[in-house]
Amino acid sequence: MEITIDPDAGFCIGVTRAIRMAEEAAKKGPVATLGDIVHNPEEVQRLKNKGIGSVTHTDLPKMQGSVILLRAHGEPPSTYETAQLCDLNLIDATCPIVAGVQKKIKKAYKEALTVNGQIAIYGKPGHPETIGLKGQTENTAIVISEKADLDTIDYNRPLWLFAQTTMQPAKFSLIAGEIRKRFIQAGRNPDEMLRVSSTICRYVSGREAKIREFARRFDVIVFVSGANSSNGNYLYSCCKEENPRSYFVSHADELKKEWFSGASSAGISGATSTPQWLMEEVKNRIMELEK
Ligand code: SF4
């Protein structure tokens, strides 16, 4: 059976950079990341074995003088204030693309304050990146994750709309379209009242079309991802829509021989949080199952 690893799968540049920074720092001494560096337990364990631990925000006051790495998702200003108060040595591995979105939101927020405007972020409530983005607005931004959240917007006030970088572009367009409609219903001109910044990362927005095409090319698809990765669950659903013989695994032990019965080709893909070594491991295990 021909087995191919998707060349577009695996870590995005932001995550690759953060892991490289953590590994470099660990060569010089103990380092901990603030939250898991990536939504993948296998990779988190691999880094733990190298002495790179993970701490939570509540641990910070007890960590005076420690080296703490901020992951690619970014952090709100309050984290930097805590770090200063607790005398932490920060390594800031915020993805440059996320940092750029934070800056844009901060600038828009300042402008919004002068015209009684509002900031809205299409994102997942509680997602670390969205917490970091919302923090740029003194936590006043409205987080929109579903249509019902649009009722919390005041359509008589100007609105700046942004997105968490990992959201789905098609849904963002729908949300923006619905907001425009509601401004019109309120008797307001959306061209004057609404400013939309499509801040979805190109690495994520381009992936869907590519993975759909990849999923159609093989008899069987094995999608490798941590179960708690939202990007992973979404990309897997795209595979399943294109190829009913698509299977989700978090590690090689979950593979089943019967999935490959009668197949002459298998494609292996993964989320932006899936390490290359894990996909290689899955490939090797499929080859063993064939014997
Ligand atoms: S998905 Fe894009 S914005 Fe998010 S960490 Fe990766 S490269 Fe950066």
Side-chain angles (χ1 to χ4, degrees):
M1 183 168 61
E2 173 208 341
I3 307 169
T4 307
I5 295 179
D6 184 352
D8 293 313
F11 293 155
C12 61
I13 48 161
V15 170
T16 305
R17 176 175 170 272
I19 290 173
R20 197 180 53 233
M21 286 169 81
E23 288 180 322
E24 284 301 317
K27 286 180 193 163
K28 296 178 199 143
V31 57
T33 62
L34 184 53
D36 287 346
I37 200 161
V38 65
H39 287 144
N40 189 283
E42 275 74 16
E43 179 65 2
V44 169
Q45 186 57 48
R46 185 188 73 84
L47 293 171
K48 206 171 172 186
N49 296 343
K50 286 187 153 193
I52 302 164
S54 165
V55 295
T56 64
H57 287 81
T58 46
D59 294 326
L60 294 181
K62 298 173 272 174
M63 305 209 58
Q64 250 109 3
S66 304
V67 178
I68 303 291
L69 181 131
L70 305 184
R71 57 195 172 171
H73 293 312
E75 286 290 325
S78 57
T79 301
Y80 295 85
E81 286 156 21
T82 306
Q84 210 168 9
L85 278 174
C86 301
D87 196 23
L88 303 173
N89 294 312
L90 284 189
I91 299 174
D92 194 347
T94 302
C95 170
I97 297 169
V98 175
V101 179
Q102 288 183 345
K103 259 191 203 160
K104 266 190 186 176
I105 292 180
K106 193 173 179 176
K107 190 168 170 245
Y109 176 58
K110 277 190 187 158
E111 200 181 332
L113 283 177
T114 64
V115 291
N116 191 28
Q118 314 153 87
I119 305 288
I121 299 164
Y122 172 49
K124 294 201 175 71
H127 187 287
E129 185 191 318
T130 293
I131 292 172
L133 298 180
K134 192 176 173 184
Q136 309 306 316
T137 66
E138 297 178 295
N139 287 325
T140 60
I142 301 161
V143 176
I144 296 163
S145 63
E146 53 190 52
K147 213 172 159 189
D149 298 326
L150 298 180
D151 297 342
T152 56
I153 294 171
D154 181 347
Y155 293 94
N156 287 306
R157 293 166 59 199
L159 181 79
W160 280 256
L161 176 66
F162 298 90
Q164 182 188 314
T165 60
T166 49
M167 299 305 276
Q168 296 159 33
K171 284 199 180 160
F172 181 65
S173 299
L174 283 177
I175 293 279
E178 180 63 27
I179 293 175
R180 273 187 75 83
K181 219 162 76 186
R182 294 200 188 192
F183 270 117
I184 294 167
Q185 283 164 356
R188 298 289 188 158
N189 180 353
D191 293 336
E192 288 168 7
M193 300 293 278
L194 175 64
R195 284 194 222 168
V196 179
S197 286
S198 179
T199 47
I200 294 170
C201 172
R202 266 177 293 161
Y203 187 89
V204 174
S205 59
R207 270 291 274 145
E208 182 179 333
K210 283 184 180 172
I211 203 166
R212 284 184 183 277
E213 198 270 323
F214 182 82
R216 288 193 293 265
R217 278 175 38 211
F218 300 91
D219 293 338
V220 177
I221 291 291
V222 177
F223 190 87
V224 191
S225 168
N228 59 350
S229 160
S230 51
N231 168 262
N233 283 301
Y234 177 65
L235 291 176
Y236 170 64
S237 73
C238 296
C239 290
K240 197 77 181 166
E241 277 171 27
E242 299 300 328
N243 185 337
R245 291 184 75 182
S246 295
Y247 301 96
F248 186 103
V249 297
S250 293
H251 43 83
D253 294 344
E254 293 169 6
L255 290 164
K256 292 200 170 74
K257 194 180 169 84
E258 59 264 30
W259 292 349
F260 307 95
S261 159
S264 57
S265 65
I268 299 169
S269 193
T272 49
S273 52
T274 305
Q276 185 70 24
W277 63 262
L278 189 54
M279 289 186 283
E280 299 281 355
E281 214 171 271
V282 166
K283 181 179 178 179
N284 292 338
R285 191 63 63 87
I286 296 173
M287 283 158 70
E288 278 169 25
L289 288 175
E290 279 194 294
K291 287 176 191 164

